Amino acid sequence: MSVRSYNTLVALSLLLLVTFSSVAEAYGSAKLRPSDCKPRCTYRCSATSHKKPCMFFCQKCCAKCLCVPPGTYGNKQVCPCYNSWKTQQGGPKCP
């Protein structure tokens, strides 16, 4: 294998790695920074009529789990911590 082929292969591999890590981050599996919580929760709570409690609990969950599921409802399996945090009554704590 020539040096040029090897360099091309390495460059292509790095490009694929960067592309797939961006896709993973877009779907919430990557760890968020605490400063990312408010915009993610704003979108997550955008479809509910109970915005204030939704934002409160979403931001609380995001601060603990550093993850917010994609979309405005469901998809909690993407964030296991977010999905498994329950209230004292056993219901979901995170919206």
Side-chain angles (χ1 to χ4, degrees):
M1 183 183 260
S2 71
V3 173
R4 189 173 198 175
S5 306
Y6 179 75
N7 288 340
T8 304
L9 182 62
V10 168
L12 183 60
S13 298
L14 287 173
L15 181 63
L16 286 172
L17 181 65
V18 169
T19 301
F20 288 126
S21 68
S22 297
V23 168
E25 186 174 346
Y27 284 99
S29 61
K31 296 285 185 184
L32 296 176
R33 295 183 311 255
S35 61
D36 296 331
C37 288
K38 188 170 183 178
R40 294 279 180 110
C41 286
T42 298
Y43 178 70
R44 179 83 179 161
C45 296
S46 65
T48 185
S49 58
H50 306 289
K51 290 199 185 339
K52 195 170 184 175
C54 182
M55 284 295 291
F56 176 80
F57 286 107
C58 181
Q59 288 184 46
K60 186 174 189 150
C61 294
C62 181
K64 178 182 177 185
C65 301
L66 295 177
C67 184
V68 175
T72 57
Y73 185 79
N75 303 317
K76 290 184 181 182
Q77 70 280 3
V78 175
C79 299
C81 168
Y82 194 98
N83 191 27
S84 62
W85 202 12
K86 305 292 183 194
T87 64
Q88 289 179 343
Q89 293 79 26
K93 187 174 211 88
C94 305

